[in-house]
Amino acid sequence: MNATQLKRCYATLQLGVGKADGRLTLTDNILHFEALNKQLSLGSYAIKLNNISRVEKCSGKAAGMLPITTSGIKITTKENHHLEFILAEPDEWLNCLQASH
């Protein structure tokens, strides 16, 4: 069975001081991030929506410390793994993800 794509955009994955630009896709059961530059090894992530425990706004940071934008969302899984994404329309993504899990 194919998953239905609900939302898609370019986003920046923020892992401490490391950042990777890529595509963030929300389907009816998975949140998927695919980095554009495969050489950085900052990944491909596929998070099942039923494994997301919390979604909240966060800030984008320069050098992993200095807030530079409020256009971020933070995903926390049930295993307490955190992923932060800087993207356009964070409130819209927040609402979609909160409704989906």
Side-chain angles (χ1 to χ4, degrees):
M1 179 182 285
N2 291 336
T4 302
Q5 181 176 303
L6 304 174
K7 195 160 184 56
R8 185 174 186 172
C9 75
Y10 286 102
T12 300
L13 172 66
Q14 178 172 267
L15 296 171
V17 296
K19 289 185 172 40
D21 294 328
R23 288 190 182 95
L24 188 63
T25 305
L26 175 63
T27 70
D28 50 0
N29 59 359
I30 291 178
L31 178 66
H32 183 260
F33 177 79
E34 184 71 34
L36 296 174
N37 185 343
K38 310 291 187 234
Q39 296 170 348
L40 292 177
S41 299
L42 288 175
S44 173
Y45 292 92
I47 304 165
K48 292 182 180 179
L49 297 182
N50 63 3
N51 193 35
I52 295 175
S53 65
R54 186 172 181 176
V55 182
E56 59 193 308
K57 288 186 79 170
C58 70
S59 58
K61 299 171 192 77
M65 300 182 310
L66 303 169
I68 57 171
T69 181
T70 58
S71 296
I73 59 171
K74 180 178 178 180
I75 310 292
T76 303
T77 66
K78 291 181 179 174
E79 294 86 22
N80 207 31
H81 183 72
H82 306 281
L83 292 171
E84 295 182 3
F85 297 98
I86 302 167
L87 41 70
E89 302 174 340
D91 290 323
E92 196 173 306
W93 276 89
L94 189 69
N95 290 337
C96 286
L97 286 165
Q98 286 174 336
S100 298
H101 82 276

